[in-house]
Amino acid sequence: MNLRQLRYFVVLAEELHFRRAAERLAITQAPLSVAIQTLERDIGALLFHRTQRRVELTEIGAAFRSHALAILERVDLSLSDVRDIVAGEAGQLRIGFTSASSLLSFFPNMICAFRQRYPKVQVTLRDLTSANQIVALQSREIDIGIMRSKGGLQPADVSYTRLIRDRLVVAMHVDNPLSKIPNLKIADLRDEPFLFYPPHSGIGIYDLLRELCAKRGFSPNVVQEVFDSSAIVCLAATGLGIAVVPAELQRINIPNVLFKSLIDGDAVTDVWLVSRAGEPSPLIASFRHMVLASVKTWELEDSQNVAAPGDAAPVSPSMDSAVVTTTAANL
């Protein structure tokens, strides 16, 4: 039994006339008769009563017709689904994100817009640190991610596209003396107790802040390690210490917390879009398009938190080149 026989059977069951059925199928009557006879032999029962004047479905033929229609409908649906996947209109997209990046206004807007544009795509979101996103990409647990700092060595099988350069701010209790300093700098934090992320946590800003402090000749005096970004802001409200965080954490509305900008040109953190290098998926390419479009809109609407290109030391030429190559290759 094959799909061709089923299609021949369904058309003949609708026409109940060999000549008309053959014309619809664009074949002669002989191959139609042979196909029906072969199908009946495979099933082991007659599907049609045939006389010189009429063709009628047998009881078994009537029952088999519903099954044949269901099979053909299922095949057509499967082919349609596969074509949608090939075209990037359906399938599954697993997105990694850091908890802080989810507070960027373009993130929820972009996810919502993508789900509306591609309703057949099953979107799965995973809250992962920057380091864990790289591992998840390499093990194919996620398809694309939004993360912070690149950190040390960048694996060759991961592509990076910089989305934004985000300012760093200091979260502190409203009565902290630092609030009186008009132009706050990283050097002014030298003697402050720090609320900080744990070492080896995989959180992108950890190494960055260590490096920024080291350039000013001091190491942060860490009094409390906190893994969660929202929790670190909550603890700043207690007066236990200060926290240097990305500007988007100002969206967390907690009483008695003051956010103060740092004027240092290098007090910025990059947000990256990461995916597997050479990934051919049209679905990932579609998502990348929407992310970049959302970022452009967001930069215009929320420019106060986005650092201008000249606000920090430029990325090394090799990194800039990699970003341009990645973007051009995947857009």
Side-chain angles (χ1 to χ4, degrees):
M1 185 185 303
N2 55 48
L3 293 178
R4 179 177 58 83
Q5 292 171 330
L6 291 181
R7 291 192 176 95
Y8 285 7
F9 165 75
V10 168
V11 172
L12 182 59
E14 292 174 351
E15 295 293 341
L16 295 178
H17 193 285
F18 273 88
R19 180 180 56 79
R20 290 197 300 269
E23 288 174 352
R24 273 185 58 183
L25 294 166
I27 60 175
T28 62
Q29 294 185 47
L32 175 59
S33 297
V34 171
I36 298 301
Q37 291 169 7
T38 303
L39 184 60
E40 289 176 326
R41 184 167 61 251
D42 291 342
I43 294 174
L46 288 176
L47 299 174
F48 295 95
H49 291 302
R50 306 169 180 83
T51 67
Q52 290 184 343
R53 291 188 173 185
R54 58 193 306 177
V55 177
E56 293 181 343
L57 281 169
T58 64
E59 183 177 352
I60 294 174
F64 183 68
R65 179 188 177 189
S66 61
H67 292 292
L69 287 170
I71 292 170
L72 293 175
E73 182 180 1
R74 182 66 180 175
V75 169
D76 289 341
L77 181 61
S78 299
L79 290 174
S80 177
D81 288 346
V82 170
R83 292 189 186 104
D84 285 342
I85 293 173
V86 171
E89 298 285 337
Q92 182 182 36
L93 187 66
R94 299 161 300 175
I95 305 167
F97 68 97
T98 62
S99 56
S101 66
S102 67
L103 294 172
L104 290 160
S105 62
F106 78 79
F107 181 84
N109 293 341
M110 172 266 301
I111 295 295
C112 181
F114 183 83
R115 294 182 67 247
Q116 291 177 346
R117 170 64 180 82
Y118 299 97
K120 295 182 180 180
V121 176
Q122 179 184 350
V123 176
T124 304
L125 299 171
R126 290 191 61 186
D127 185 353
L128 297 168
T129 65
S130 297
N132 288 340
Q133 284 191 47
I134 300 302
V135 174
L137 276 172
Q138 293 174 316
S139 61
R140 294 190 171 272
E141 295 176 25
I142 63 173
D143 303 302
I144 199 164
I146 298 175
M147 54 174 274
R148 284 282 162 187
S149 170
K150 288 183 177 183
L153 295 175
Q154 289 85 52
D157 57 348
V158 175
S159 293
Y160 296 79
T161 302
R162 187 168 64 194
L163 296 178
I164 63 168
R165 174 158 281 171
D166 195 18
R167 297 185 184 278
L168 293 176
V169 298
V170 182
M172 64 185 76
H173 189 274
V174 290
D175 294 330
N176 191 301
L178 292 176
S179 64
K180 309 299 186 209
I181 300 178
N183 297 306
L184 188 64
K185 297 179 291 187
I186 295 173
D188 297 324
L189 311 180
R190 179 185 304 272
D191 299 322
E192 291 296 316
F194 272 74
L195 307 169
F196 207 41
Y197 299 105
H200 313 299
S201 61
I203 296 176
I205 202 172
Y206 177 88
D207 292 329
L208 171 63
L209 186 53
R210 287 282 187 187
E211 178 183 340
L212 291 174
C213 293
K215 287 169 64 176
R216 276 80 179 173
F218 74 98
S219 180
N221 173 28
V222 180
V223 297
Q224 180 70 49
E225 291 180 348
V226 188
F227 186 86
D228 183 72
S229 296
S230 58
I232 207 170
V233 176
C234 290
L235 289 185
T238 69
L240 181 63
I242 64 165
V244 178
V245 296
E248 67 262 25
L249 289 189
Q250 295 176 95
R251 301 182 188 280
I252 300 177
N253 186 14
I254 297 174
N256 299 320
V257 172
L258 172 69
F259 292 93
K260 195 165 180 65
S261 298
L262 291 165
I263 66 169
D264 305 77
D266 55 352
V268 293
T269 173
D270 292 328
V271 177
W272 301 87
L273 186 69
V274 292
S275 60
R276 286 180 291 275
E279 179 63 63
S281 167
L283 187 55
I284 293 177
S286 297
F287 181 77
R288 182 185 297 276
H289 273 296
M290 294 199 70
V291 172
L292 296 177
S294 296
V295 166
K296 288 181 180 179
T297 301
W298 177 79
E299 285 177 335
L300 294 174
E301 296 175 350
D302 203 12
S303 59
Q304 64 177 5
N305 290 330
V306 182
D311 283 353
V315 183
S316 67
S318 61
M319 288 185 182
D320 273 340
S321 176
V323 170
V324 173
T325 301
T326 300
T327 304
N330 291 282
L331 287 182

mmCIF file of all heavy atoms in Angstrom, residues 273-292:
data_model
loop_
_atom_site.group_PDB
_atom_site.id
_atom_site.type_symbol
_atom_site.label_atom_id
_atom_site.label_comp_id
_atom_site.label_asym_id
_atom_site.label_seq_id
_atom_site.Cartn_x
_atom_site.Cartn_y
_atom_site.Cartn_z
ATOM 1 N N LEU A 273 24.543 39.287 21.689
ATOM 2 C CA LEU A 273 23.698 38.224 21.146
ATOM 3 C C LEU A 273 24.644 37.101 20.720
ATOM 4 O O LEU A 273 25.575 37.337 19.941
ATOM 5 C CB LEU A 273 22.896 38.728 19.947
ATOM 6 C CG LEU A 273 21.860 37.755 19.357
ATOM 7 C CD1 LEU A 273 20.713 37.557 20.333
ATOM 8 C CD2 LEU A 273 21.341 38.290 18.031
ATOM 9 N N VAL A 274 24.435 35.909 21.236
ATOM 10 C CA VAL A 274 25.360 34.808 20.953
ATOM 11 C C VAL A 274 24.606 33.643 20.320
ATOM 12 O O VAL A 274 23.449 33.377 20.633
ATOM 13 C CB VAL A 274 26.075 34.321 22.239
ATOM 14 C CG1 VAL A 274 27.024 35.383 22.750
ATOM 15 C CG2 VAL A 274 25.065 33.939 23.326
ATOM 16 N N SER A 275 25.290 32.968 19.411
ATOM 17 C CA SER A 275 24.732 31.783 18.766
ATOM 18 C C SER A 275 25.887 30.919 18.298
ATOM 19 O O SER A 275 27.046 31.330 18.349
ATOM 20 C CB SER A 275 23.826 32.160 17.588
ATOM 21 O OG SER A 275 24.559 32.881 16.608
ATOM 22 N N ARG A 276 25.578 29.722 17.850
ATOM 23 C CA ARG A 276 26.631 28.852 17.340
ATOM 24 C C ARG A 276 27.157 29.394 16.015
ATOM 25 O O ARG A 276 26.375 29.809 15.144
ATOM 26 C CB ARG A 276 26.104 27.421 17.164
ATOM 27 C CG ARG A 276 25.917 26.676 18.473
ATOM 28 C CD ARG A 276 25.390 25.266 18.250
ATOM 29 N NE ARG A 276 24.015 25.289 17.772
ATOM 30 C CZ ARG A 276 22.951 25.367 18.560
ATOM 31 N NH1 ARG A 276 23.104 25.430 19.877
ATOM 32 N NH2 ARG A 276 21.739 25.371 18.051
ATOM 33 N N ALA A 277 28.457 29.403 15.857
ATOM 34 C CA ALA A 277 29.082 29.917 14.637
ATOM 35 C C ALA A 277 28.640 29.087 13.436
ATOM 36 O O ALA A 277 28.608 27.863 13.497
ATOM 37 C CB ALA A 277 30.600 29.880 14.765
ATOM 38 N N GLY A 278 28.260 29.779 12.360
ATOM 39 C CA GLY A 278 27.857 29.088 11.143
ATOM 40 C C GLY A 278 26.501 28.433 11.226
ATOM 41 O O GLY A 278 26.157 27.606 10.374
ATOM 42 N N GLU A 279 25.692 28.788 12.217
ATOM 43 C CA GLU A 279 24.359 28.190 12.379
ATOM 44 C C GLU A 279 23.488 28.512 11.157
ATOM 45 O O GLU A 279 23.254 29.683 10.855
ATOM 46 C CB GLU A 279 23.701 28.735 13.648
ATOM 47 C CG GLU A 279 22.303 28.215 13.909
ATOM 48 C CD GLU A 279 22.265 26.715 14.147
ATOM 49 O OE1 GLU A 279 22.859 26.254 15.127
ATOM 50 O OE2 GLU A 279 21.645 26.023 13.311
ATOM 51 N N PRO A 280 22.990 27.485 10.446
ATOM 52 C CA PRO A 280 22.236 27.753 9.208
ATOM 53 C C PRO A 280 20.741 27.975 9.414
ATOM 54 O O PRO A 280 20.035 28.263 8.457
ATOM 55 C CB PRO A 280 22.478 26.465 8.404
ATOM 56 C CG PRO A 280 22.571 25.394 9.456
ATOM 57 C CD PRO A 280 23.232 26.052 10.654
ATOM 58 N N SER A 281 20.246 27.843 10.634
ATOM 59 C CA SER A 281 18.803 27.875 10.866
ATOM 60 C C SER A 281 18.179 29.203 10.450
ATOM 61 O O SER A 281 18.553 30.267 10.957
ATOM 62 C CB SER A 281 18.514 27.636 12.350
ATOM 63 O OG SER A 281 17.167 27.945 12.659
ATOM 64 N N PRO A 282 17.186 29.174 9.544
ATOM 65 C CA PRO A 282 16.495 30.415 9.171
ATOM 66 C C PRO A 282 15.683 30.982 10.328
ATOM 67 O O PRO A 282 15.433 32.184 10.389
ATOM 68 C CB PRO A 282 15.598 29.989 8.010
ATOM 69 C CG PRO A 282 15.402 28.518 8.187
ATOM 70 C CD PRO A 282 16.676 28.007 8.795
ATOM 71 N N LEU A 283 15.269 30.124 11.258
ATOM 72 C CA LEU A 283 14.513 30.584 12.416
ATOM 73 C C LEU A 283 15.391 31.451 13.311
ATOM 74 O O LEU A 283 14.961 32.508 13.792
ATOM 75 C CB LEU A 283 13.983 29.375 13.197
ATOM 76 C CG LEU A 283 13.032 29.662 14.358
ATOM 77 C CD1 LEU A 283 11.851 30.489 13.893
ATOM 78 C CD2 LEU A 283 12.560 28.355 14.973
ATOM 79 N N ILE A 284 16.631 31.036 13.523
ATOM 80 C CA ILE A 284 17.560 31.826 14.326
ATOM 81 C C ILE A 284 17.873 33.143 13.614
ATOM 82 O O ILE A 284 17.960 34.199 14.248
ATOM 83 C CB ILE A 284 18.841 31.025 14.607
ATOM 84 C CG1 ILE A 284 18.510 29.835 15.521
ATOM 85 C CG2 ILE A 284 19.908 31.906 15.254
ATOM 86 C CD1 ILE A 284 19.682 28.930 15.820
ATOM 87 N N ALA A 285 18.014 33.085 12.296
ATOM 88 C CA ALA A 285 18.262 34.309 11.528
ATOM 89 C C ALA A 285 17.097 35.279 11.663
ATOM 90 O O ALA A 285 17.294 36.500 11.801
ATOM 91 C CB ALA A 285 18.503 33.963 10.061
ATOM 92 N N SER A 286 15.872 34.768 11.648
ATOM 93 C CA SER A 286 14.686 35.619 11.801
ATOM 94 C C SER A 286 14.672 36.276 13.181
ATOM 95 O O SER A 286 14.361 37.464 13.321
ATOM 96 C CB SER A 286 13.415 34.793 11.607
ATOM 97 O OG SER A 286 13.342 34.261 10.296
ATOM 98 N N PHE A 287 15.010 35.485 14.206
ATOM 99 C CA PHE A 287 15.043 36.038 15.560
ATOM 100 C C PHE A 287 16.118 37.120 15.665
ATOM 101 O O PHE A 287 15.908 38.170 16.271
ATOM 102 C CB PHE A 287 15.313 34.923 16.571
ATOM 103 C CG PHE A 287 15.337 35.377 18.000
ATOM 104 C CD1 PHE A 287 14.157 35.639 18.668
ATOM 105 C CD2 PHE A 287 16.540 35.555 18.667
ATOM 106 C CE1 PHE A 287 14.168 36.079 19.988
ATOM 107 C CE2 PHE A 287 16.571 35.991 19.982
ATOM 108 C CZ PHE A 287 15.386 36.245 20.637
ATOM 109 N N ARG A 288 17.262 36.872 15.056
ATOM 110 C CA ARG A 288 18.353 37.858 15.080
ATOM 111 C C ARG A 288 17.898 39.180 14.446
ATOM 112 O O ARG A 288 18.169 40.264 14.972
ATOM 113 C CB ARG A 288 19.563 37.295 14.335
ATOM 114 C CG ARG A 288 20.780 38.214 14.347
ATOM 115 C CD ARG A 288 21.879 37.608 13.473
ATOM 116 N NE ARG A 288 22.331 36.338 13.991
ATOM 117 C CZ ARG A 288 23.247 36.211 14.949
ATOM 118 N NH1 ARG A 288 23.792 37.305 15.470
ATOM 119 N NH2 ARG A 288 23.613 35.028 15.369
ATOM 120 N N HIS A 289 17.204 39.099 13.317
ATOM 121 C CA HIS A 289 16.683 40.300 12.658
ATOM 122 C C HIS A 289 15.813 41.107 13.630
ATOM 123 O O HIS A 289 15.954 42.334 13.740
ATOM 124 C CB HIS A 289 15.839 39.914 11.441
ATOM 125 C CG HIS A 289 16.634 39.741 10.185
ATOM 126 N ND1 HIS A 289 17.315 40.772 9.580
ATOM 127 C CD2 HIS A 289 16.846 38.654 9.402
ATOM 128 C CE1 HIS A 289 17.918 40.339 8.492
ATOM 129 N NE2 HIS A 289 17.645 39.056 8.359
ATOM 130 N N MET A 290 14.905 40.419 14.322
ATOM 131 C CA MET A 290 13.971 41.108 15.195
ATOM 132 C C MET A 290 14.678 41.701 16.404
ATOM 133 O O MET A 290 14.320 42.785 16.877
ATOM 134 C CB MET A 290 12.856 40.153 15.625
ATOM 135 C CG MET A 290 11.965 39.712 14.483
ATOM 136 S SD MET A 290 10.363 39.041 15.005
ATOM 137 C CE MET A 290 9.552 40.514 15.608
ATOM 138 N N VAL A 291 15.693 41.002 16.934
ATOM 139 C CA VAL A 291 16.444 41.536 18.070
ATOM 140 C C VAL A 291 17.137 42.834 17.676
ATOM 141 O O VAL A 291 17.049 43.848 18.381
ATOM 142 C CB VAL A 291 17.483 40.513 18.562
ATOM 143 C CG1 VAL A 291 18.391 41.160 19.618
ATOM 144 C CG2 VAL A 291 16.805 39.297 19.173
ATOM 145 N N LEU A 292 17.837 42.827 16.546
ATOM 146 C CA LEU A 292 18.569 44.014 16.116
ATOM 147 C C LEU A 292 17.629 45.180 15.837
ATOM 148 O O LEU A 292 17.931 46.337 16.154
ATOM 149 C CB LEU A 292 19.410 43.693 14.880
ATOM 150 C CG LEU A 292 20.528 42.658 15.111
ATOM 151 C CD1 LEU A 292 21.248 42.355 13.806
ATOM 152 C CD2 LEU A 292 21.508 43.132 16.162
#
